[in-house]
């Protein structure tokens, strides 16, 4: 009887210890998830084909570049404003962009002038002072319920091809998935975007070498991330750069 009592005590002690350890792990994980990077932080993650790949904690409305690229799904009522699942307005890049465009982003989508079908594009030239970039390119992501991180490779290629077509030296890119309420794998998405960008760029280099194309070289690609996702996105970007180089 005494042995049984001791065994039960040991079992209870073991369970208590395990729960404490598990609780500590959850607390550490939560702390890690809450780590943020200050707005305006920049870091060059590497380069490919002489093009610097810079990360920055910034929203697409405020970022200064020759071309800003953002991605949007097919329109559903209030999709970027309903938080959750969309990010809160204070840290939601699409909400800020729509505000600075005087509601034009929502109007374009809601009235079907830009439907947001997968890889659909539309180029805007906002009046000076509306946003930081001189031009704004929207790329469609299609049906939000069918989103797959693999498609971001094609999105990256579209981004580069459009940047070359309009002959800018640099462009900034924001996937804006979480702003739209999609809980996407940050590192994988960022890495796929980089792979797509340079698949398109290297194709153009190959064509140029064959005297079949000419273009204005890109000097820098700027990848935007929110304060909570900068570090994780950087891991995916660095991995993609290593795989290309």
């Amino acid at each position: 009887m005494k042995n049984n009592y001791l065994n039960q005590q040991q079992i209870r002690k073991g369970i208590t210890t395990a729960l404490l350890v598990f609780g500590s792990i959850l607390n550490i994980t939560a702390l890690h998830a809450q780590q943020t990077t200050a707005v305006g932080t920049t870091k060059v993650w590497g380069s490919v084909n002489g093009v610097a790949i810079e990360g920055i904690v910034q929203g697409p409305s405020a970022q200064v570049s020759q071309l800003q690229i953002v991605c949007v799904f097919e329109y559903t009522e209030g999709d970027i404003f309903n938080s959750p699942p969309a990010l809160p307005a204070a840290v939601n890049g699409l909400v800020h962009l729509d505000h600075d465009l005087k509601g034009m982003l929502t109007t374009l989508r809601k009235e079907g002038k830009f439907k947001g079908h997968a890889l659909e594009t539309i180029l805007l030239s906002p009046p000076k002072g509306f946003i930081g970039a001189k031009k704004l390119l929207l790329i469609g992501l299609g049906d939000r319920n069918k989103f797959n991180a693999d498609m971001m490779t094609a999105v990256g290629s579209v981004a580069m091809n459009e940047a070359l077509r309009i002959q800018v030296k640099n462009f900034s890119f924001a996937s804006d998935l979480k702003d739209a309420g999609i809980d996407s794998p940050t590192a994988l998405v960022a890495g796929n975007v980089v792979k797509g960008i340079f698949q398109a760029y290297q194709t153009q280099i190959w064509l140029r070498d064959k005297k079949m194309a000419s273009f204005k070289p890109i000097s820098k690609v700027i990848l935007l991330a929110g304060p909570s996702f900068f570090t994780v996105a950087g891991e995916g970007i660095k991995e993609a750069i290593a795989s290309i180089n």
Side-chain angles (χ1 to χ4, degrees), residues 78-236:
D79 52 4
I80 65 173
F81 299 104
N82 295 329
S83 176
L87 291 180
V91 292
N92 190 313
L94 289 178
V95 170
H96 290 186
L97 181 63
D98 189 51
H99 175 268
D100 290 347
L101 291 173
K102 318 303 181 192
M104 181 60 71
L105 178 62
T106 293
T107 301
L108 273 172
R109 301 174 66 223
K110 190 171 186 176
E111 295 186 358
K113 299 182 189 305
F114 178 74
K115 298 183 183 304
H117 295 327
L119 306 184
E120 178 186 358
T121 63
I122 188 170
L123 182 65
L124 288 71
S125 297
K128 187 177 181 180
F130 273 41
I131 65 174
K134 294 180 179 178
K135 293 184 181 297
L136 174 66
L137 178 75
L138 306 183
I139 299 180
L141 296 175
D143 184 341
R144 64 174 49 240
N145 297 313
K146 298 178 181 177
F147 174 74
N148 186 311
D150 290 345
M151 80 169 295
M152 296 309 292
T153 305
V155 171
S157 291
V158 170
M160 176 56 85
N161 283 327
E162 288 297 298
L164 292 173
R165 184 179 65 81
I166 61 176
Q167 300 186 346
V168 294
K169 287 185 177 179
N170 62 68
F171 67 90
S172 48
F173 180 97
S175 61
D176 290 314
L177 299 174
K178 292 182 173 63
D179 305 77
I182 298 298
D183 187 17
S184 55
T186 301
L188 179 60
V189 165
N192 285 347
V193 169
V194 170
K195 290 177 182 176
I197 284 173
F198 286 97
Q199 282 177 8
Y201 199 56
Q202 291 180 342
T203 296
Q204 290 300 316
I205 291 173
W206 183 83
L207 287 170
R208 183 189 61 189
D209 292 345
K210 302 291 182 186
K211 313 295 183 188
M212 298 290 285
S214 62
F215 59 87
K216 191 174 183 178
I218 299 289
S219 60
K220 183 164 67 174
V221 172
I222 308 161
L223 300 173
L224 278 53
S228 299
F229 311 106
F230 180 75
T231 301
V232 178
E235 292 171 0

Side-chain angles (χ1 to χ4, degrees), residues 27-92:
N27 288 335
I28 291 171
T29 302
L31 180 63
H32 179 73
Q34 291 170 358
Q35 287 180 341
T36 59
T37 305
V39 173
T41 300
T42 63
K43 183 172 183 176
V44 176
W45 298 113
S47 64
V48 177
N49 296 119
V51 181
I53 304 166
E54 182 179 87
I56 183 168
V57 182
Q58 190 58 275
S61 181
Q63 179 59 32
V64 176
S65 64
Q66 294 185 349
L67 170 67
Q68 174 64 54
I69 299 172
V70 301
C71 305
V72 292
F73 289 100
E74 294 170 3
Y75 181 77
T76 56
E77 187 68 29
D79 52 4
I80 65 173
F81 299 104
N82 295 329
S83 176
L87 291 180
V91 292
N92 190 313

